[in-house]
Amino acid sequence: IQATLARFEIDRPTAIELLHSPWLGDACKPCKAAYDSMFGGRGWGLWSPQHPCFSDRLLRRAGRSWSYRTLCAFIGIGLDPDRIMRMRLLFRRMDTDGNGV
């Protein structure tokens, strides 16, 4: 976990390295079970590991420019987490075929 907080990008692990880390692989089973029962194991947006294009999408996101990622981070900081959760649930309800569009 501490390596992900490194100041310079070159010192941080890549997205693929994080996916194969024991930290993610050994996630708490009760939390996973609760999440799966709530969302059917479909994940949120990019975070859908069972999707066939998951690694491609993750690599594409990791390849975005530093300025783009910084802008997204600043926008994300200003969002209300409770509203975001309600919007995600509403979107999931409307997204009947599960393709995210």
Side-chain angles (χ1 to χ4, degrees):
I1 295 173
Q2 210 162 11
T4 62
L5 301 174
R7 180 176 182 191
F8 300 105
E9 187 173 354
I10 192 98
D11 297 330
R12 293 190 297 262
T14 66
I16 299 298
E17 290 171 334
L18 284 175
L19 280 176
H20 298 300
S21 73
W23 181 67
L24 283 178
D26 298 334
C28 183
K29 290 181 182 178
C31 290
K32 279 186 170 183
Y35 180 88
D36 288 345
S37 71
M38 196 171 173
F39 305 116
R42 292 186 300 180
W44 290 112
L46 175 73
W47 193 253
S48 298
Q50 75 281 5
H51 193 280
C53 298
F54 175 70
S55 61
D56 295 332
R57 290 192 287 177
L58 194 61
L59 287 171
R60 193 175 333 123
R61 178 178 273 188
R64 297 279 187 176
S65 71
W66 179 85
S67 56
Y68 178 86
R69 292 181 304 191
T70 302
L71 176 64
C72 288
F74 280 131
I75 291 170
I77 288 170
L79 299 175
D80 178 24
D82 292 333
R83 282 192 181 173
I84 295 298
M85 182 63 162
R86 288 194 303 265
M87 284 187 262
R88 284 180 170 178
L89 291 173
L90 178 60
F91 177 78
R92 282 287 181 194
R93 182 71 176 110
M94 295 185 315
D95 185 24
T96 54
D97 59 358
N99 68 358
V101 180

